[in-house]
Amino acid sequence: MVKICCLGAGYVGGPTMAIIALKCPSIEVVVVDISVARITAWNSEQLPIYEPGLDDVVKQCRGRNLFFSNEIEKHIAEADIIFVSVNTPTKTRGLGAGKAADLTYWESAARMIADVAKSDKVVVEKSTVPVKTAEAIEKILTHNGKGINFQILSNPEFLAEGTAIQDLFNPDRVLIGGRETPEGRKAVQLLKDVYAHWVPEDRIITTNLWSAELSKLAANAFLAQRISSVNAISALCEATGANVTEVAYSVGKDSRIGPKFLNASVGFGGSCFQKDILNLVYICECNGLPEVANYWKQVVKINDYQKSRFVNRVVSSMFNTVSGKKIAVLGFAFKKDTGDTRETPAIDVCKGLLGDKAKISIYDPQVTEDHIQRDLSMNKFDWDHPVHLQPMSPTAVKQVTVTWDPYEATKEAHGVCILTEWDEFRQLDYKKIYDNMQKPAFMFDGRNIVDVEKLREIGFIVYSIGKPLDSWLKDMPAMV
């Protein structure tokens, strides 16, 4: 019986191992983590992450061949394959701060594996890591491994939050990178056999280690670049009276381009895009490629520009000040169907409005008040470092209230900002919302999900990204 141990019970480790356990009943899968609270949650009725379909999978396998444990050393020692799925946050200080990945957690994981391993292991990089990490990990393992044979594989994840379970059941591709040696090929085959339980062979791609590591960064950079491209065009649409939805639809009809990732919005978020692009920038700089680094840097710059453009549009529309005004924020997660708020555009929008002394009322169906307050009191790049390194009880941001009811959030508000595309926001009773707001009532749709004409008929002054501007807004140009 093959035994798998996964270090890290987060957004990648938990769902991935749950699907492996479901599809490979003959394999014992143990997910370990140093956080007692997180493991306790995985063993409870209330899982620590929200992902459609995850509950069912975990409940089918938990206690049968899927286990969650804090006994890290014991399970490392027993495993044949060890997935390492620990955080690789952006460095906040020292060499490469603000760009380079912080590999502290990766390195300590590698040292622990070397310490406790008593038999040969296949070690699989599941975290997103900079190119050449495998080489560093290999050195730590071989220099500390007491003659034990370690094979390092790169098996990057390509999950999209909100559809992670579907992505795991039916992946576009599974990528496995390994050393081109007899032992390396054998290790690749071992992992390939695990995925072959449910993934068609032609979707399992094998490459060398460096190609696998770089493919992950490149894929995320390309996706983020598409969003920044359409967002750059959205600014031009507003200036010229074009409609970004129509432009994106026309562009997406070109079979060489395709329709996905062409929705204009307030900006991209999530734990990967910005982090991976900055990582790519750093690697380019380190390899003497400043022109390539600057090219990718621009993708992040446009994303930041889009968020500040949105804030400026809100402030300038409302007589150039939001001081003391109540602004309702609908949606705080970085996208629908997830409770994840890492790098969500909502943080920057809220901070921008708070900077002008707005009073903010937030509603999101999946994000708790504690979580929101912590996000708003945290420094950039701190969010992915362990909780014990973050402010423990954040000083509650006084101008922010959080409610579990969208109608409560919008009551008496001067303006509403939609920042996450939750399906329920399409169905809200906007007439009721309008009647309970201060007048003139403003609607700033950062996700282009409302029916603009309908809302204008109700009486709202509507700003929708990349759409022809309300005559009111034309008279109040957004200062950038």
Side-chain angles (χ1 to χ4, degrees):
M1 187 183 195
V2 173
K3 289 192 172 185
I4 289 177
C5 172
C6 175
L7 304 184
Y11 277 90
V12 175
T16 306
M17 294 304 119
I19 298 294
I20 288 178
L22 181 72
K23 294 292 189 180
C24 311
S26 61
I27 294 178
E28 181 184 287
V29 181
V30 184
V31 184
V32 297
D33 200 293
I34 50 173
S35 165
V36 174
R38 189 179 273 182
I39 291 298
T40 304
W42 277 110
N43 283 319
S44 74
E45 289 303 299
Q46 188 69 46
L47 301 185
I49 63 177
Y50 172 73
E51 192 62 55
L54 178 62
D55 264 29
D56 294 346
V57 176
V58 169
K59 280 165 190 169
Q60 277 182 69
C61 308
R62 196 170 56 191
R64 186 190 72 194
N65 67 326
L66 174 65
F67 305 93
F68 298 92
S69 169
N70 292 118
E71 293 181 84
I72 299 173
E73 297 191 2
K74 170 182 185 280
H75 294 293
I76 287 176
E78 292 174 357
D80 305 297
I81 303 174
I82 300 169
F83 284 85
V84 183
S85 189
V86 297
N87 276 5
T88 50
T90 305
K91 281 181 81 170
T92 52
R93 50 180 64 86
L95 185 67
K99 279 189 237 150
D102 183 341
L103 296 180
T104 310
Y105 314 112
W106 237 109
E107 186 177 327
S108 56
R111 288 183 186 281
M112 183 186 285
I113 292 168
D115 272 355
V116 304
K118 296 188 173 50
S119 56
D120 293 353
K121 308 281 181 205
V122 173
V123 179
V124 184
E125 292 178 343
K126 201 71 191 158
S127 318
T128 302
V129 291
V131 185
K132 297 286 189 180
T133 300
E135 201 163 47
I137 302 306
E138 231 168 23
K139 284 177 181 152
I140 290 168
L141 291 172
T142 47
H143 284 274
N144 293 286
K146 306 177 276 284
I148 290 167
N149 180 22
F150 293 101
Q151 284 301 318
I152 315 292
L153 300 179
S154 172
N155 174 220
E157 53 81 20
F158 294 102
L159 306 179
E161 286 181 40
T163 58
I165 298 302
Q166 261 336 99
D167 297 342
L168 284 162
F169 274 135
N170 188 23
D172 290 340
R173 77 293 205 194
V174 170
L175 183 55
I176 304 172
R179 284 285 190 198
E180 288 158 315
T181 60
E183 298 82 9
R185 287 194 194 97
K186 196 173 153 197
V188 167
Q189 191 58 48
L190 181 66
L191 187 55
K192 205 173 167 182
D193 291 344
V194 171
Y195 284 111
H197 280 81
W198 79 98
V199 181
E201 177 132 16
D202 61 347
R203 290 201 200 168
I204 304 176
I205 305 168
T206 57
T207 66
N208 74 28
L209 269 174
W210 324 134
S211 296
E213 288 181 338
L214 187 54
S215 295
K216 167 65 179 178
L217 294 184
N220 275 347
F222 275 48
L223 290 171
Q225 180 201 44
R226 284 174 70 98
I227 298 171
S228 281
S229 295
V230 78
N231 281 343
I233 294 299
S234 76
L236 187 58
C237 287
E238 288 168 30
T240 57
N243 182 327
V244 74
T245 307
E246 293 172 353
V247 173
Y249 181 76
S250 306
V251 169
K253 277 293 177 193
D254 187 323
S255 59
R256 296 163 302 176
I257 296 171
K260 292 183 178 173
F261 274 73
L262 288 181
N263 293 325
S265 71
V266 65
F268 59 71
S271 63
C272 288
F273 281 0
Q274 176 159 303
K275 188 175 79 167
D276 289 359
I277 296 167
L278 293 172
N279 209 328
L280 195 58
V281 166
Y282 185 67
I283 293 164
C284 292
E285 288 172 349
C286 291
N287 283 285
L289 301 169
E291 292 82 2
V292 183
N294 288 335
Y295 176 78
W296 288 111
K297 233 185 245 178
Q298 199 57 35
V299 173
V300 175
K301 277 189 180 165
I302 287 286
N303 197 49
D304 290 339
Y305 164 74
Q306 189 75 344
K307 290 182 282 193
S308 57
R309 207 168 71 76
F310 186 85
V311 171
N312 290 339
R313 186 65 82 183
V314 173
V315 176
S316 68
S317 305
M318 299 172 75
F319 314 104
N320 240 352
T321 178
V322 288
S323 180
K325 291 176 183 171
K326 178 177 175 181
I327 309 284
V329 168
L330 298 183
F332 197 83
F334 84 92
K335 64 191 273 197
K336 71 173 186 175
D337 293 336
T338 178
D340 195 353
T341 61
R342 291 178 291 179
E343 290 289 349
T344 174
I347 294 173
D348 287 337
V349 171
C350 288
K351 282 184 172 177
L353 295 171
L354 289 168
D356 204 63
K357 298 194 165 59
K359 292 189 162 98
I360 295 180
S361 181
I362 301 171
Y363 165 72
D364 187 288
Q366 284 297 332
V367 188
T368 64
E369 174 163 15
D370 186 52
H371 205 114
I372 289 170
Q373 293 283 11
R374 198 172 79 229
D375 283 342
L376 291 176
S377 56
M378 216 179 287
N379 294 326
K380 204 164 179 54
F381 300 129
D382 274 353
W383 49 268
D384 212 13
H385 290 261
V387 172
H388 65 272
L389 297 179
Q390 295 167 6
M392 270 316 278
S393 56
T395 48
V397 182
K398 302 247 186 325
Q399 300 323 99
V400 175
T401 55
V402 180
T403 165
W404 286 108
D405 176 12
Y407 298 105
E408 186 59 40
T410 52
K411 194 175 175 186
E412 296 292 315
H414 293 77
V416 177
C417 297
I418 299 177
L419 300 183
T420 311
E421 71 283 21
W422 287 103
D423 291 339
E424 68 180 79
F425 296 161
R426 297 173 194 272
Q427 266 75 60
L428 291 174
D429 181 345
Y430 284 103
K431 176 78 174 81
K432 177 179 171 183
I433 288 173
Y434 176 80
D435 290 343
N436 288 321
M437 283 175 68
Q438 305 274 358
K439 308 295 181 300
F442 295 89
M443 173 65 65
F444 303 96
D445 183 2
R447 295 289 178 174
N448 284 353
I449 61 168
V450 298
D451 183 330
V452 175
E453 292 314 314
K454 211 169 175 181
L455 260 59
R456 284 184 182 144
E457 279 166 26
I458 290 171
F460 282 102
I461 291 161
V462 185
Y463 167 67
S464 199
I465 285 179
K467 302 283 180 71
L469 293 175
D470 223 298
S471 56
W472 175 292
L473 299 171
K474 278 184 189 154
D475 301 335
M476 303 208 170
M479 305 300 292
V480 177

